[in-house]
Amino acid sequence: MEIKKDIGLKDSLTIKEKRYRNFPMVPRVIFGRGCFDQLGEILMPKRRHSEAPFIFLVDDVFEGTSFVDRIPLIFNDLVVFVSAEEEPKTVQVDALVGRIKTEFNELPSGIVGIGGGTLLDLAKAVAICLTNKGSSCDYQGWDLVVKPSVYHVGIPTISGTGAEVSRTTVLLGPEKKLGINSDHTTFDQVVLDPDLTKGVSKEQWFYTGMDCFIHCIESLNGTYLNAFSQSYGEKALELCKEVYLGELSPSESRDKLMMASWHGGMSIAYSQVGVAHAMSYGLSYLLGVKHGIGNCIVFRHLEEFYPDGVALFNQMMRKQKVHLPSGICSDLTDCDYETMISVSLGMEPLWENALGKDWRNIATREKLKSIYSRI
C-alpha cells in the first residue's frame, strides 16, 4: 500500500511499504527422550491456585495403561479420555467447554492435550473457547478469535501432523471442515518426547509421517514460499527421506520424525499447504476419512501438480510396503461430488499458494471431479 509521510523535506515523499505477517511461535519447547516426566515442574508455576485445575485431554488408547500414572495430577485436576477415531468436531469442542464450565467455578489453570493431531487440535480449540463466547464453529476461519486463550500445552504421541507447532486447529463443523486460524491458537508450551511415539502402528506411523512429507512438498512448491519457510521445509524433507528411505534404528527414527514434524509445521506456518490438503478436506467432510490417510489417498493422484513429490511418495510406499485403499469414491452421487468440491474450493489460501492468483481458472469443478473420481 502507499503511505505519504512527512520526513522533514520540502516535499512529502510517497513511500511504498510492504506489509509482513507477524506470526506467533511456540514460546517454550522441551525435547528429549523421557522429558515428559518433567511435566509436573513445568506446570507448577502456571497453577493459579488449588481450585484452578489443569484439564488433561488424553487419547483414549492410553486409558487403563501405566502411562496414565505418569500424568502429574494434583488437587482437582481432571483427565478426560477422548477417542481419536474420528476427526475433531466443533460439537466435541463445545461439549468439552460446557463440561469444564459446569464442573468448575472458574477457568482452569490450563489445558493439556496428549495424543496425535486430533487431541492437540481439540486442546487448542477448547483453550480458545473457554475465553471466547459462542460456539467453536463461530471461529472457523482466519483471525476471528478476539480474546487470548487459557494457557495450553501440547504433547504429541505421534509425529507428522505439525499440530504441535501450528496456529491452526482444524475442526469438522456442521457446514464445513476448516481450521480456527489465529495467533491465540498456538500452544504456550510443547513437550516433545520421542519415547511417547513407541507402539504406534506402522500404518499410522506412515500416514502421519506422510502428512509431514506432503506439508514439505506443498510448501516448497507453493507461490507463498519464502526463505523462512524454505529453510524449515527443506530440513523437514531431508529428515523424512532419512526416516522413510534410510536404514535408521527405531530410536533414531522416532527422534528424526518428531523433528521433521516440527520443521514441517514451521514451514507451513510461514507459507501454506496446497492441493492435497484442500482436496482431503472434501474427503474428510463427506466420508469421514481421517486427515493423514486422506492426504495420502489424494496425493498419489496429483502428478500434474507435484510430479517429483508424487514419485518420491510412491518410492516411500514401496520401501515401507504400505498399500492405500482405492475406489472409495466409486459409488458417490453427483451431489456427493458437488459437496466435496465445494468444501475443497472453500480453502482459498491453499489453492492460491498451490496455483497462484489465477487458481480459479485451473482448479475448476470439472478438474476436481476428475481427480476425485479416480480416488
Side-chain angles (χ1 to χ4, degrees):
M1 62 182 176
E2 294 189 347
I3 301 176
K4 292 204 173 202
K5 295 183 179 179
D6 183 1
I7 57 175
L9 300 177
K10 182 175 180 181
D11 299 314
S12 63
L13 301 177
T14 298
I15 301 175
K16 288 194 174 182
E17 181 181 278
K18 187 172 184 178
R19 303 292 296 173
Y20 294 95
R21 292 297 304 273
N22 189 15
F23 286 115
M25 298 176 71
V26 175
R28 290 191 176 275
V29 57
I30 182 171
F31 171 83
R33 300 173 198 170
C35 70
F36 177 81
D37 292 328
Q38 294 177 230
L39 181 60
E41 63 185 81
I42 290 171
L43 298 182
M44 187 59 73
K46 301 300 180 181
R47 293 183 180 274
R48 297 200 309 277
H49 53 76
S50 61
E51 298 303 312
F54 269 97
I55 312 297
F56 296 83
L57 304 180
V58 183
D59 192 318
D60 68 359
V61 298
F62 295 108
E63 190 170 7
T65 70
S66 60
F67 173 76
V68 178
D69 297 330
R70 297 171 60 193
I71 299 175
L73 303 176
I74 59 175
F75 305 130
N76 59 342
D77 289 349
L78 176 67
V79 174
V80 180
F81 292 104
V82 181
S83 172
E85 285 302 310
E86 296 183 348
E87 295 281 282
K89 299 179 174 63
T90 55
V91 291
Q92 251 184 313
V93 174
D94 296 345
L96 287 166
V97 170
R99 175 180 174 181
I100 294 168
K101 288 184 174 180
T102 299
E103 292 190 23
F104 301 98
N105 294 324
E106 59 179 290
L107 288 175
S109 291
I111 304 294
V112 181
I114 303 176
T118 293
L119 269 296
L120 298 185
D121 279 352
L122 283 174
K124 289 188 282 187
V126 168
I128 284 172
C129 292
L130 281 169
T131 55
N132 290 270
K133 295 180 179 179
S135 169
S136 54
C137 64
D138 297 333
Y139 302 102
Q140 287 181 283
W142 281 266
D143 301 303
L144 302 176
V145 178
V146 177
K147 296 181 180 179
S149 60
V150 301
Y151 177 81
H152 52 307
V153 180
I155 305 176
T157 61
I158 190 168
S159 297
T161 69
E164 65 273 16
V165 69
S166 78
R167 71 188 292 271
T168 299
T169 170
V170 181
L171 302 173
L172 188 63
E175 298 178 358
K176 55 194 171 186
K177 179 182 177 181
L178 185 61
I180 299 176
N181 301 270
S182 163
D183 285 356
H184 302 303
T185 308
T186 312
F187 283 115
D188 298 294
Q189 170 80 55
V190 169
V191 176
L192 298 177
D193 184 343
D195 283 347
L196 298 184
T197 66
K198 289 181 179 178
V200 174
S201 70
K202 182 173 183 179
E203 289 76 15
Q204 197 59 49
W205 168 79
F206 184 83
Y207 299 148
T208 54
M210 288 302 99
D211 188 15
C212 175
F213 170 75
I214 294 167
H215 285 164
C216 301
I217 298 300
E218 293 180 322
S219 173
L220 293 171
N221 288 278
T223 63
Y224 290 1
L225 185 66
N226 55 74
F228 192 104
S229 58
Q230 183 176 2
S231 64
Y232 280 103
E234 288 176 343
K235 184 60 180 178
L237 183 57
E238 173 190 326
L239 290 167
C240 285
K241 290 178 182 178
E242 289 186 53
V243 170
Y244 291 101
L245 295 176
E247 301 295 338
L248 302 177
S249 69
S251 60
E252 288 176 319
S253 177
R254 288 192 292 271
D255 287 357
K256 288 180 181 289
L257 189 56
M258 188 161 269
M259 283 296 93
S261 180
W262 181 271
H263 283 73
M266 286 296 296
S267 180
I268 61 172
Y270 284 81
S271 59
Q272 193 47 273
V273 285
V275 178
H277 277 74
M279 294 194 68
S280 75
Y281 280 134
L283 283 180
S284 179
Y285 181 81
L286 182 72
L287 302 175
V289 178
K290 294 192 70 173
H291 184 70
I293 189 171
N295 282 334
C296 291
I297 291 170
V298 172
F299 190 71
R300 66 176 177 177
H301 295 284
L302 301 182
E303 301 96 333
E304 176 182 352
F305 304 105
Y306 308 110
D308 294 339
V310 172
L312 193 53
F313 173 79
N314 289 332
Q315 185 181 350
M316 291 176 174
M317 276 212 308
R318 289 192 297 271
K319 169 78 173 179
Q320 299 303 328
K321 297 180 172 59
V322 171
H323 301 281
L324 294 174
S326 60
I328 65 173
C329 294
S330 58
D331 295 327
L332 297 184
T333 66
D334 288 340
C335 182
D336 290 333
Y337 279 116
E338 286 301 305
T339 298
M340 286 198 302
I341 291 167
S342 294
V343 169
S344 177
L345 291 178
M347 311 302 297
E348 295 187 9
L350 282 63
W351 288 108
E352 183 173 313
N353 175 56
L355 305 175
K357 299 285 186 182
D358 195 39
W359 66 267
R360 289 179 180 84
N361 293 326
I362 303 170
T364 61
R365 302 186 79 88
E366 293 75 18
K367 169 69 72 176
L368 267 61
K369 185 174 183 180
S370 71
I371 297 172
Y372 276 132
S373 65
R374 301 200 303 272
I375 293 175

